[in-house]
Amino acid sequence: MTKRYYFLIRYMPAQADHELLAGRCISQMHLFMVNNRQAMNRIGVSFPDWNESTVGQTIAFVAEDKEMMVGLSFQPYFSVMVNEGLFEISSVCEVPDTAAEVRFVRNQMIGKSFLGSKKRRIKRCMARSELSGVESSLPASNEERVIDSFHRIPISSGSSGESYILFVQKEFVGECVAANFNSYGLATNQERKGTVPDFSF
């Protein structure tokens, strides 16, 4: 199996907003990938302290390219946070062969279950039916959706300045799947199925 490398960032403040800081770290990795095209879709994110109530106070970045990991770990934002005593960053290490595999999945279907999203979709549907001259009818609602536990990670887009939420779930998987992540280092429900080591040992 191909060697993989990782480093960990631990948020030091006792009362830190773990989801907010995870979003900031993921945004930095996203920016790094945009500026280093060879890194695109090849860096995965893992949450070693993930549990039912929080994403935890640690985030890990994983890739097959050690130099890429070193480059990411020296991003200016991370250095500033370390100097301020807000982050602790590990050195880049090789992933142990014994690590179990997990998948952190961005599940956009979760966002569609919330009232704001439903209202926007109803509005769009009614506007479309008005334009086509068809009598307005509300879209059929399927409220029987059961959603496993998830966490919300707030993200800000550097290009548009928009803020939005990543809805993330953890899946346990039997085997390692080659690096194939979205631009936030996460797997998706469809085409991106990359796995990362489970560092919760």
Side-chain angles (χ1 to χ4, degrees):
M1 196 179 91
T2 312
K3 288 182 179 179
R4 290 178 296 170
Y5 300 88
Y6 73 98
F7 68 92
L8 304 170
I9 296 177
R10 181 174 290 271
Y11 322 127
M12 300 313 289
Q15 300 303 315
D17 181 333
H18 297 154
E19 284 69 23
L20 178 71
L21 291 174
R24 298 261 168 88
C25 291
I26 290 170
S27 292
Q28 290 303 309
M29 182 213 61
H30 175 76
L31 197 61
F32 177 80
M33 282 205 283
V34 167
N35 292 324
N36 298 277
R37 284 290 169 191
Q38 74 278 11
M40 190 55 80
N41 308 118
R42 293 179 52 207
I43 302 174
V45 172
S46 186
F47 300 95
D49 307 325
W50 177 284
N51 59 52
E52 288 289 316
S53 57
T54 174
V55 296
Q57 72 178 94
T58 311
I59 189 169
F61 295 102
V62 184
E64 292 173 4
D65 186 327
K66 187 175 184 178
E67 298 306 311
M68 192 185 289
M69 287 289 89
V70 171
L72 177 59
S73 72
F74 279 100
Q75 288 305 288
Y77 172 77
F78 297 151
S79 302
V80 167
M81 296 297 269
V82 167
N83 290 338
E84 297 285 326
L86 300 173
F87 282 1
E88 196 174 82
I89 296 190
S90 75
S91 53
V92 173
C93 304
E94 191 176 321
V95 172
D97 293 336
T98 54
E101 291 294 308
V102 290
R103 188 178 284 131
F104 289 96
V105 181
R106 179 186 184 189
N107 187 348
Q108 289 175 279
M109 294 307 293
I110 295 171
K112 292 181 178 176
S113 301
F114 292 105
L115 196 55
S117 172
K118 287 180 179 176
K119 283 180 179 173
R120 283 191 298 276
R121 289 200 312 278
I122 288 170
K123 225 174 174 176
R124 279 198 303 267
C125 180
M126 291 174 81
R128 276 197 305 268
S129 63
E130 269 179 40
L131 285 172
S132 63
V134 179
E135 193 173 319
S136 174
S137 65
L138 292 177
S141 176
N142 175 9
E143 296 301 327
E144 294 306 309
R145 195 176 287 164
V146 176
I147 297 171
D148 291 331
S149 74
F150 64 91
H151 290 303
R152 297 174 172 91
I153 299 177
I155 290 276
S156 296
S157 165
S159 53
S160 68
E162 297 268 321
S163 292
Y164 49 96
I165 302 290
L166 299 178
F167 295 95
V168 182
Q169 294 177 297
K170 181 178 183 177
E171 286 179 2
F172 292 92
V173 291
E175 58 183 15
C176 179
V177 176
N180 183 13
F181 306 100
N182 67 12
S183 62
Y184 300 106
L186 301 167
T188 62
N189 290 338
Q190 279 86 36
E191 71 277 8
R192 307 261 177 217
K193 293 292 186 183
T195 63
V196 289
D198 186 0
F199 293 112
S200 59
F201 39 75

